[in-house]
Amino acid sequence: MSKRNSKKNPKVSLKTPKVREEVSPGHLKRIIAVSEARTREIEESRVVYPDPDLFDSLDLSGVKALGFTDKVEWDPDDLDILFARRRSRKSRGKQRGGSQSQGGKKGLPDPKVVAAKVYDIIKNFKVVGNDGNVVMGTWNMEFLDASKAKYFLETYKHIVPRFHIIGCTEITLDGLQVIANALGYKAYASVENTRSQAVGFLVHPRLKVKGNPISYDEIANVQGIPNLRPAYRLDVEDTATGDEYAAVVVHMKSMRGGPASTAPVRRQQAKKLVEVLGEDFVGFICGDWNSHLDNPSVTDNDPLKQAGFKLVGPKDKTPTHIMKSRLDGFFVMNFGKVGRLQVFNFWRELGRDLSDHGTVRCQKRVCGGVGNDSTCGTVDDPSGPYSDSPSDPVEVDTSTE
């Protein structure tokens, strides 16, 4: 009989990390106070965008009367550099245009310049149609209302047609409707909170919305914290393939008040979302999660992941927010192959002139029938376009063709 090894084995902890389920009374009081202060800040910094054709004729007093700090003038040499695509990677992160503080007032940019810059970034991505993969997007549009939608309409005309469906946050229905009417899309939105923040969708005609939209208002009701947003659901049919699934958009509690202190709020929201969607959910959830999606210690403990939802691009660390955080993305369940994650960080060129969040894009693979996609035969390749390889480039590179 052989001798047992007398060396003690290292202890292995079988306990899972303790996760707080509710905000403590002390933290809750502070979070509510911070939220109320943020609401006041938003009201004080609210702006009204003019008719875009009036930009050239507006003087400084006219701009300030609309709530802006100044009128942003652009150096023609700056545009030459951008359009020639000769900027170095080092200079790529420099923000040009109106200087703006996070959450404060900002300068009024020339809408023609914004549209030209955005088009130069996105022009190589084809406009979607009634065949091919379903292209999904999510975008925090930073206080989109009707005046902003009209002012930047030429810009939105470049962006939106490259998606079949976009989950939109920080919007109003009136704002989405302006864009939808101009492009032949349909707009849907939840009820706004007191900050004029709703969540909703822009939907291409290929996707038919079935039944009535559903607003999960319980997601906005957690421990009495004001101005949370509901989750909002559409049930859609892909008319090219007959596939039916749900699309849900969320805008979870912000990290104002502290990431750790506010995390239990987002956890409660996620648990409620899991409960209302059920275990047989088929579809995707997108939006502004206000969580660091590239941090496994955050996502591994998320109720969505524990319930079987999969984060698209779990290892990717591309920021989607001007503060260099990955806050926006997609969770999917029973949804087939989803991939080709891409991020359009327009804020790298424009600062917050358009939004402080990037537009995130991914695709649902379609095989067979009218919606056949030619990449179907290669999707099982672990290095292919539907992989989760962190070595695959995600952010759209504006410095090269």
Side-chain angles (χ1 to χ4, degrees):
M1 185 174 175
S2 62
K3 268 189 176 180
R4 285 189 176 180
N5 190 340
S6 60
K7 190 176 180 180
K8 291 184 178 179
N9 293 323
K11 290 184 178 179
V12 178
S13 175
L14 299 178
K15 294 182 179 179
T16 56
K18 188 175 181 180
V19 178
R20 281 193 291 124
E21 298 292 337
E22 290 198 351
V23 181
S24 65
H27 282 150
L28 181 60
K29 184 177 180 181
R30 180 171 180 272
I31 289 170
I32 291 175
V34 169
S35 178
E36 291 172 343
R38 174 60 177 156
T39 299
R40 291 191 296 271
E41 179 188 16
I42 289 170
E43 287 303 318
E44 290 168 3
S45 62
R46 199 174 294 280
V47 298
V48 177
Y49 287 84
D51 185 307
D53 293 333
L54 297 179
F55 177 82
D56 292 333
S57 62
L58 280 170
D59 58 16
L60 185 58
S61 62
V63 168
K64 288 186 174 180
L66 295 169
F68 296 91
T69 56
D70 55 14
K71 185 176 177 179
V72 178
E73 302 292 349
W74 296 83
D75 183 348
D77 291 336
D78 186 48
L79 295 182
D80 291 341
I81 291 171
L82 173 73
F83 295 155
R85 301 278 190 131
R86 297 189 186 280
R87 292 177 300 106
S88 68
R89 288 183 180 273
K90 185 176 180 181
S91 68
R92 222 179 103 199
K94 293 180 181 178
Q95 296 168 21
R96 295 184 168 91
S99 61
Q100 306 128 31
S101 61
Q102 176 74 8
K105 291 189 176 183
K106 56 187 179 181
L108 179 68
D110 186 335
K112 296 185 293 297
V113 172
V114 172
K117 280 177 170 277
V118 167
Y119 177 71
D120 202 58
I121 293 168
I122 206 167
K123 64 185 179 184
N124 292 327
F125 293 82
K126 69 179 184 179
V127 171
V128 300
N130 292 323
D131 58 5
N133 290 343
V134 177
V135 182
M136 307 172 295
T138 187
W139 192 14
N140 182 319
M141 302 178 81
E142 197 178 17
F143 295 108
L144 177 85
D145 59 11
S147 74
K148 183 175 181 178
K150 292 173 185 175
Y151 192 72
F152 291 118
L153 185 56
E154 292 308 308
T155 297
Y156 298 130
K157 284 180 179 179
H158 295 319
I159 298 171
V160 174
R162 287 160 169 86
F163 297 85
H164 287 108
I165 184 168
I166 306 179
C168 308
T169 61
E170 280 195 21
I171 50 89
T172 65
L173 178 57
D174 288 345
L176 286 189
Q177 200 67 62
V178 169
I179 300 170
N181 290 345
L183 292 168
Y185 279 57
K186 287 190 176 179
Y188 301 86
S190 70
V191 173
E192 302 165 22
N193 62 14
T194 64
R195 300 173 179 173
S196 299
Q197 293 174 320
V199 295
F201 288 96
L202 287 167
V203 184
H204 184 275
R206 169 174 166 177
L207 299 181
K208 177 183 177 182
V209 175
K210 305 186 70 177
N212 295 320
I214 301 171
S215 182
Y216 294 118
D217 297 336
E218 49 266 76
I219 312 304
N221 292 290
V222 176
Q223 291 191 254
I225 297 169
N227 282 309
L228 299 179
R229 282 77 45 164
Y232 192 72
R233 171 176 176 164
L234 300 180
D235 289 291
V236 302
E237 177 186 350
D238 183 349
T239 59
T241 65
D243 290 343
E244 296 184 0
Y245 46 84
V248 179
V249 60
V250 299
H251 186 182
M252 297 301 211
K253 169 71 182 80
S254 77
M255 287 185 271
R256 289 176 183 269
S261 298
T262 56
V265 182
R266 290 184 292 277
R267 183 172 175 80
Q268 289 179 67
Q269 289 180 299
K271 286 183 73 173
K272 290 185 176 191
L273 192 55
V274 167
E275 291 171 3
V276 296
L277 296 182
E279 59 184 17
D280 297 325
F281 179 81
V282 176
F284 69 91
I285 312 171
C286 65
D288 178 357
W289 297 90
N290 276 316
S291 293
H292 297 292
L293 298 181
D294 56 337
N295 185 345
S297 67
V298 173
T299 55
D300 285 354
N301 291 315
D302 191 287
L304 288 164
K305 185 169 181 180
Q306 294 172 348
F309 283 87
K310 177 186 175 184
L311 174 65
V312 178
K315 296 180 181 179
D316 185 72
K317 294 186 176 295
T318 306
T320 64
H321 184 257
I322 202 167
M323 300 300 285
K324 306 299 176 66
S325 299
R326 184 188 175 192
L327 304 180
D328 310 83
F330 299 83
F331 282 86
V332 297
M333 179 184 275
N334 301 318
F335 197 46
K337 273 287 186 181
V338 179
R340 289 181 172 174
L341 187 70
Q342 293 165 316
V343 182
F344 296 90
N345 278 326
F346 301 117
W347 49 261
R348 291 201 188 277
E349 311 297 344
L350 300 166
R352 296 180 65 199
D353 288 341
L354 191 61
S355 176
D356 56 345
H357 285 251
T359 308
V360 186
R361 182 179 191 257
C362 70
Q363 299 185 39
K364 172 179 169 56
R365 179 180 63 115
V366 170
C367 290
V370 178
N372 180 58
D373 184 270
S374 61
T375 62
C376 290
T378 64
V379 351
D380 292 327
D381 179 350
S383 63
Y386 293 91
S387 75
D388 287 324
S389 171
S391 64
D392 291 342
V394 170
E395 185 172 8
V396 173
D397 186 352
T398 63
S399 63
T400 59
E401 289 293 347

